[in-house]
Amino acid sequence: MPLLFAQGLRKSFGETRAVDGVDFFVESEELVSLVGSNGAGKTTLVNLLSGLLVPDAGSIAFQDTDITAVPVRDRIRAGIARSFQLVNLFDQLSALDNVRLAIFSRDGTTRQVLRLAERNRPAREEALEVLRDFGLEDKWDTPAAGLAQGERKLLDVALAYALRPKLILLDEPTSGVGTREKGTIMDAVAQLVRERFLAAVIVEHDMDVVFAYSHRIVMMHQGKVLAEGTPEQIRADERVAAALLGKA
Amino acid sequence: MSGVQHSPDAAMPLDTARGAHGVQPALWYTAALALLALLLPFLEGVPVIGWLASPFQRIQLTYGLVFSIAALAFNLLLGYTGLLSFGHAAFFGGAAYAAGLLVKYLHVYSMEGFLLAGLTSATVLAAVFGSVCVRYTRIFFSILTLALSQVLWALALKFFWITNGTDGLSIPTPILLGGLVGTAGDKVRFLSFTYYYYVLFIFFICVAVMGVIAASPFGKALQAIRDNEVRAQFVGIGVRRYRWYAFVISGAFTGVAGALFAPLNGLTTPDILHWTFSGKIVFMTVLGGFKSFIGPILGGVAYNYLETYVIKTTEYWQMLLGIILVALVLVMPQGIVGVFAWGSRRERRNR
Ligand SMILES: Nc1ncnc2c1ncn2[C@@H]1O[C@H](COP(=O)(O)OP(=O)(O)OP(=O)(O)O)[C@@H](O)[C@H]1O
Ligand SMILES: [Mg+2]
């Protein structure tokens, strides 16, 4: 069985069938790109996999365990982390504290009530290291609200990364960031997949990025999977070309 | 430091993550104020500050410190967790009544007994209220806390044979530390000296403990929940459970304040259970500045002076409170602390 295995997923919002019978899997150490035009259902699929939404039908298994109805917190424990298309950060907390919270939570130390967070040196060092990985070390003391848009996007991904998941779901991690930062994010993710034997699902519009980094590409259209394959196969697929042209 | 706008612990001396720049002066001010408070009873007749040291003023300050503890505790919920409770009178008043009932039925006059009873009753009340209220946020949370605390107020009125209704329960001069420190016959002397120190030390303990809580990993988790509930969930924090913990801790410390208030006031009446008293706690906190740790301390003390001096000079006291609150929210949402921070920023810029 693959690391993550979803079958027959459906989710409707009123009349809109956002996800309409999708089968989806991710192998360990695999980097899968999820592509498709606006409104194709990519975010909704990520929401179903991460537990933000409950599917109307279908099932999701992670490491051979059914997690279809498992709450978010337990999915995080199991090793599924995500970032957000629309940045979700702790705005009044410093970049360091944002990352540190992920680390505290992962280690179960958020239960410490009578110990200064600052006293936990290893957590501080690790958080600074994560910030360094994302080129944010100079901004460690800046509240998240005070960061530039691109930096906020980086920090959003860094939070998911700091949880040391087995599977990381990144919803448009490079949208709205500069070309150089795009490389930073994608390199960090690709490195993670390689070094930490992690799997990643990346929702991405930039096809150059998609072709450069993915092991496999899944293309969605109107809630359904339209095409699936290696970058070479997808490049050659006429339906994909048509759908992409339709979008452009 | 410009961090004041963003981080609730920006003005907190305990957070060593802040640059030395912002921490050092704050630490010095805190140390100086603490020293002043410790020496105060011996400063009568000293020029400039001597008036503050009179027995009457020391009792006023004691009231202020008690309110500060309540406001600090309240702010663990408002400033740190992002929940606006309108029911904290229940924990303050509940604790004071616990002390009163201890006197009435068990003839216990020990202050530590009052504190234990107050702390326990407030904690239990907060645990029960919290389990209902933290299912909701924003206005729903506020209204639920208000409604539940009003139930307690109504009970205090209805069961008059227990609570003495509007007359309230009288609290005699308590025995401190099992009689170890002076239980002089003179009530003013007792309140302005012995009890002043007693409250001051408990105040220091409460500030230290709440300061550590605020800067602990747990405290950071609360701030994370305040800032972004969804993301807090997605880093694995049990949002509702942590809100409940915060509620109980906040209620417990408010109970300590209530227990200290009882002998100071000598009487517990239902008005400290009424929602308008919850409103006063909200007011103190906003007045001092709910976005910093120390704001509520200043707010509690300042509020007490406002009430003592302004209520005498105008019959439009309530209206004045309202006007001040509106002005605070509109013009200086950072409260008194914000004004100080603004002043020191200007100073630094001018250098
Ligand atoms: N919470 C919601 N309520 C109602 N409709 C929704 C909701 N979320 C998504 N939709 C609809 O579901 C469809 C799929 O949306 P989704 O956000 O999954 O697309 P997407 O592929 O992520 O698009 P984009 O590239 O623009 O991010 C769209 O038609 C959208 O309007
Ligand atoms: Mg999307």
Side-chain angles (χ1 to χ4, degrees):
Chain A
M1 278 274 272
L3 180 68
L4 178 103
F5 190 70
Q7 256 185 320
L9 287 181
R10 285 178 201 283
K11 184 74 193 179
S12 299
F13 302 104
E15 292 295 292
T16 316
R17 292 182 184 175
V19 168
D20 192 8
V22 167
D23 297 333
F24 185 81
F25 68 92
V26 188
E27 300 282 359
S28 32
E29 297 174 54
E30 191 182 30
L31 200 158
V32 180
S33 283
L34 196 54
V35 302
S37 51
N38 292 112
K42 307 179 296 292
T43 296
T44 306
L45 180 59
V46 168
N47 288 346
L48 292 174
L49 298 179
S50 63
L52 188 61
L53 293 175
V54 180
D56 298 336
S59 67
I60 307 166
F62 184 69
Q63 292 185 312
D64 301 331
T65 310
D66 183 84
I67 58 159
T68 314
V70 163
V72 170
R73 221 159 63 82
D74 296 331
R75 293 190 206 216
I76 306 274
R77 291 277 131 77
I80 303 176
R82 71 167 292 177
S83 74
F84 292 83
Q85 182 174 355
L86 299 172
V87 175
N88 261 317
L89 292 171
F90 309 123
D91 278 341
Q92 297 182 51
L93 296 180
S94 67
L96 179 73
D97 276 345
N98 268 269
V99 176
R100 205 152 41 169
L101 258 165
I103 294 168
F104 287 147
S105 177
R106 181 197 71 200
D107 294 347
T109 47
T110 42
R111 257 175 260 135
Q112 292 180 342
V113 177
L114 292 178
R115 181 167 184 236
L116 294 177
E118 205 53 41
R119 284 281 158 78
N120 191 336
R121 286 285 146 190
R124 184 188 167 85
E125 291 311 315
E126 189 190 335
L128 285 171
E129 202 171 304
V130 169
L131 289 176
R132 216 168 290 132
D133 286 345
F134 286 86
L136 291 168
E137 69 272 33
D138 294 341
K139 300 293 172 83
W140 67 274
D141 201 20
T142 309
L147 295 173
Q149 189 51 38
E151 293 167 340
R152 285 170 60 78
K153 201 82 205 197
L154 283 163
L155 188 56
D156 194 292
V157 177
L159 283 194
Y161 169 99
L163 290 170
R164 290 203 187 144
K166 298 191 179 81
L167 170 66
I168 195 167
L169 311 168
L170 305 176
D171 195 355
E172 305 205 10
T174 72
S175 70
V177 310
T179 322
R180 203 168 44 92
E181 286 156 330
K182 254 186 201 185
T184 310
I185 294 179
M186 291 309 297
D187 287 341
V189 172
Q191 191 183 347
L192 261 185
V193 172
R194 250 181 285 121
E195 291 176 3
R196 297 240 182 98
F197 311 110
L198 172 123
V201 175
I202 299 179
V203 178
E204 181 58 63
H205 280 293
D206 186 333
M207 291 311 283
D208 292 335
V209 170
V210 169
F211 287 132
Y213 287 94
S214 329
H215 299 133
R216 193 156 54 83
I217 298 170
V218 173
M219 166 132 208
M220 286 185 74
H221 188 63
Q222 293 183 350
K224 292 192 166 69
V225 174
L226 184 75
E228 185 180 348
T230 62
E232 293 74 35
Q233 288 168 330
I234 293 292
R235 224 193 274 267
D237 195 315
E238 287 162 14
R239 289 171 306 168
V240 175
L244 281 176
L245 278 178
K247 181 205 152 205
Chain B
M1 211 170 160
S2 64
V4 171
Q5 280 103 327
H6 304 294
S7 170
D9 51 18
M12 197 179 59
L14 286 161
D15 191 347
T16 49
R18 299 279 140 199
H21 211 52
V23 171
Q24 291 310 329
L27 261 183
W28 280 114
Y29 291 143
T30 311
L33 281 176
L35 195 66
L36 179 66
L38 275 171
L39 297 177
L40 197 59
F42 302 99
L43 300 180
E44 270 185 89
V46 172
V48 188
I49 48 170
W51 64 275
L52 247 179
S54 73
F56 173 76
Q57 285 300 334
R58 274 163 15 216
I59 292 176
Q60 285 307 315
L61 188 56
T62 313
Y63 272 103
L65 292 175
V66 167
F67 289 151
S68 294
I69 296 172
L72 267 180
F74 168 80
N75 201 41
L76 284 180
L77 267 191
L78 178 65
Y80 284 84
T81 319
L83 292 171
L84 173 56
S85 161
F86 260 99
H88 265 48
F91 314 130
F92 190 94
Y97 267 91
L101 295 173
L102 211 56
V103 172
K104 183 174 175 183
Y105 289 104
L106 299 176
H107 309 292
V108 171
Y109 302 99
S110 152
M111 189 59 216
E112 291 71 44
F114 293 176
L115 281 169
L116 193 66
L119 183 67
T120 313
S121 54
T123 307
V124 170
L125 274 173
V128 175
F129 283 18
S131 63
V132 178
C133 298
V134 299
R135 291 159 199 271
Y136 304 87
T137 56
R138 286 177 277 200
I139 187 78
F140 307 103
F141 173 85
S142 304
I143 288 175
L144 263 177
T145 51
L146 190 151
L148 285 174
S149 77
Q150 280 301 90
V151 170
L152 205 65
W153 172 77
L155 287 176
L157 281 181
K158 278 271 179 280
F159 290 86
F160 55 87
W161 59 91
I162 298 173
T163 63
N164 297 0
T166 46
D167 292 344
L169 295 166
S170 69
I171 315 276
T173 305
I175 299 163
L176 307 185
L177 303 172
L180 209 64
V181 286
T183 26
D186 183 355
K187 182 115 187 176
V188 172
R189 162 86 190 160
F190 172 79
L191 289 180
S192 67
F193 189 83
T194 321
Y195 198 63
Y196 169 78
Y197 275 116
Y198 194 86
V199 169
L200 188 61
F201 276 107
I202 291 180
F203 168 79
F204 283 150
I205 293 169
C206 288
V207 171
V209 174
M210 283 193 264
V212 171
I213 291 175
S216 69
F218 172 78
K220 301 269 182 197
L222 298 184
Q223 296 166 53
I225 291 169
R226 170 202 64 200
D227 279 2
N228 193 328
E229 189 181 339
V230 170
R231 194 54 190 253
Q233 216 183 338
F234 275 94
V235 295
I237 297 168
V239 172
R240 194 182 287 181
R241 193 139 50 94
Y242 274 65
R243 281 196 177 122
W244 184 77
Y245 293 150
F247 196 92
V248 175
I249 293 173
S250 174
F253 278 102
T254 308
V256 171
L260 290 173
F261 176 83
L264 186 61
N265 206 46
L267 189 70
T268 60
T269 49
D271 57 319
I272 53 168
L273 284 171
H274 197 255
W275 73 269
T276 48
F277 188 78
S278 301
K280 286 182 187 175
I281 300 179
V282 177
F283 183 91
M284 295 168 200
T285 309
V286 176
L287 177 67
F290 71 99
K291 294 204 169 183
S292 75
F293 178 77
I294 59 165
I297 300 178
L298 303 178
V301 173
Y303 172 84
N304 184 59
Y305 289 131
L306 260 182
E307 190 174 84
T308 309
Y309 290 104
V310 183
I311 212 167
K312 276 191 206 149
T313 54
T314 169
E315 39 190 309
Y316 302 111
W317 157 243
Q318 301 283 357
M319 195 177 84
L320 190 76
L321 271 192
I323 292 170
I324 296 175
L325 190 60
V326 170
L328 275 174
V329 171
L330 294 181
V331 191
M332 35 182 269
Q334 315 283 339
I336 298 174
V337 161
V339 175
F340 281 135
W342 182 74
S344 68
R345 263 206 305 284
R346 272 177 63 109
E347 206 177 285
R348 205 169 298 135
R349 208 175 301 140
N350 291 343
R351 250 186 271 157

